[in-house]
Amino acid sequence: MTNGRDHRIDFFRGLALIFIFWDHVPENPFAQLTLRNFGFSDAAEVFVFLAGYAAVLAYGKVAQRDGYVVACIRILRRTWVLYVAHIFLLTLLMGIVFVANNHVDTRDMVREMGLEYFVSNPQQALADELLLRFKPNLTDPLPLYILLMGTLPLVLPIMLRNAAVAVGLSIALYMMVPLFGWNLRAYEGGGYWYFNPVAWQLIFVLGGAFAMYTQRPSPPALQPRPLWRQPLFLIAGVYLLIAGTITFLWKFPAIHDALLPKAFTDLIYPISKTDLSPLRLLHFVALVYVVAKALPSSQAWLNNWPAQQTCRMGRYSLEVFCLGVLLAPLADGVNALAGDVWQMRVITAWVGLGLMLLLSNWLELNKRLGTPKVPQVAGV
């Protein structure tokens, strides 16, 4: 594996964090611009895919340099950090929701956030929280991330030896969902995990396999064929176009039902997010392929202030994600107190984004201040 940070990965991870925050705020006008409006998949797939990419890239280098045992120790240490962040996040989130609910009369924020179980049975809810079984709304991606990182020591040696075998085993596990309905139970009466880890592990593994692919030595440069002459790119592009059209028609049910035959809709629906429907998975794979092919190989397009700030958020994805989860109910509460007027929705969307940018810049500054300077020795 080669060294060096790919800032394009940071950019897309930061963009996913922005989309996740905007999607989490009810009736946010900027949520109409997020990925979920243009196809079957959304920012959740981007977040999990890039988490797999970054994890395999980072700990693969550690395994090759310092050995598998050291890599496992660092993976488990990172998993523990994620677990502690999850518990701390839930504590803050419940405090924010309960306080906000006392001031908002137009909606029941406790119910909207899925906290009724905690209100009715706090002792068991706390135990289920520690076991990752109780996950209020908006917090589901983090337990999934914890579980996937905790199982990475099992995947990493296979990935380093043969990424194709790792992907094949992951696909076999994914098939257990449509064949046998595998999923993990949530708390008593709470059904199953919203992000089924048996299915979503495939996105994580695909991210790791993509990281291995990008780190291979490049073959001698050949004159690439234009994209419009590459059949696989055209097929992927057509599928994205069809999926985007169907997704757009969801906003107009009457037109959707008139244009799409019932036999066709019965065939494709439901497009499950929980179980990562094959159509959803295929859409994301096509999206990754098209973006990877169309994206410039150089990083010159990142040399502007908005792109650099987005990269910075992606660099501190855990902290920014947690802040976004806390800001979403706050923004919803402020919008409700202001009468849900569109002007306030615009303001809270931009203020939340500004706070996420502020946090990432503060973390970057804190990191620089904590890095010891290497003394320069004058040449003789």
Side-chain angles (χ1 to χ4, degrees), residues 59-311:
Y59 298 110
K61 292 177 181 178
V62 174
Q64 291 176 339
R65 184 182 65 243
D66 302 323
Y68 174 70
V69 174
V70 175
C72 286
I73 292 174
R74 293 195 179 184
I75 291 171
L76 295 177
R77 185 171 62 184
R78 177 61 175 175
T79 305
W80 173 250
V81 170
L82 294 172
Y83 180 79
V84 172
H86 170 65
I87 301 301
F88 187 61
L89 174 64
L90 286 185
T91 304
L92 290 177
L93 180 64
M94 288 189 289
I96 289 172
V97 172
F98 288 136
V99 171
N101 198 59
N102 290 331
H103 296 85
V104 176
D105 299 326
T106 57
R107 64 194 64 159
D108 186 352
M109 296 187 66
V110 172
R111 181 184 60 80
E112 291 180 358
M113 293 297 296
L115 292 172
E116 306 100 319
Y117 178 64
F118 178 83
V119 174
S120 61
N121 197 351
Q123 292 181 341
Q124 186 60 44
L126 287 175
D128 287 332
E129 175 186 321
L130 295 175
L131 296 173
L132 303 180
R133 287 161 51 90
F134 175 56
K135 302 176 292 299
N137 295 341
L138 311 186
T139 64
D140 299 273
L142 199 49
L144 174 66
Y145 190 15
I146 293 169
L147 188 60
L148 294 176
M149 283 296 297
T151 57
L152 183 58
L154 303 177
V155 178
L156 187 60
I158 305 175
M159 184 71 70
L160 293 176
R161 183 174 294 272
N162 193 322
V165 172
V167 172
L169 293 174
S170 179
I171 293 175
L173 183 59
Y174 168 80
M175 292 303 299
M176 297 300 103
V177 176
L179 292 177
F180 304 107
W182 285 10
N183 196 350
L184 295 184
R185 294 281 303 184
Y187 60 89
E188 188 65 28
Y192 296 88
W193 280 43
Y194 179 71
F195 288 99
N196 183 350
V198 183
W200 280 78
Q201 53 79 28
L202 179 55
I203 296 289
F204 187 84
V205 171
L206 287 176
F210 187 68
M212 297 295 297
Y213 174 80
T214 58
Q215 297 302 304
R216 294 189 310 178
S218 301
L222 299 175
Q223 184 65 28
R225 290 187 299 171
L227 294 177
W228 58 270
R229 294 184 60 186
Q230 299 182 26
L232 191 56
F233 179 86
L234 294 178
I235 294 172
V238 169
Y239 181 71
L240 292 178
L241 182 62
I242 294 173
T245 303
I246 295 175
T247 305
F248 178 75
L249 290 177
W250 290 347
K251 302 177 187 297
F252 310 98
I255 300 177
H256 172 277
D257 295 340
L259 293 180
L260 299 181
K262 187 176 185 302
F264 177 73
T265 57
D266 289 343
L267 181 64
I268 67 172
Y269 295 141
I271 303 176
S272 172
K273 182 173 184 177
T274 293
D275 293 331
L276 193 63
S277 166
L279 287 179
R280 189 179 178 104
L281 173 63
L282 185 60
H283 178 268
F284 180 71
V285 171
L287 182 64
V288 171
Y289 183 81
V290 168
V291 171
K293 281 288 187 178
L295 201 65
S297 57
S298 68
Q299 301 187 27
W301 58 279
L302 295 175
N303 296 332
N304 56 81
W305 188 85
Q308 291 173 355
Q309 295 301 312
T310 305
C311 290

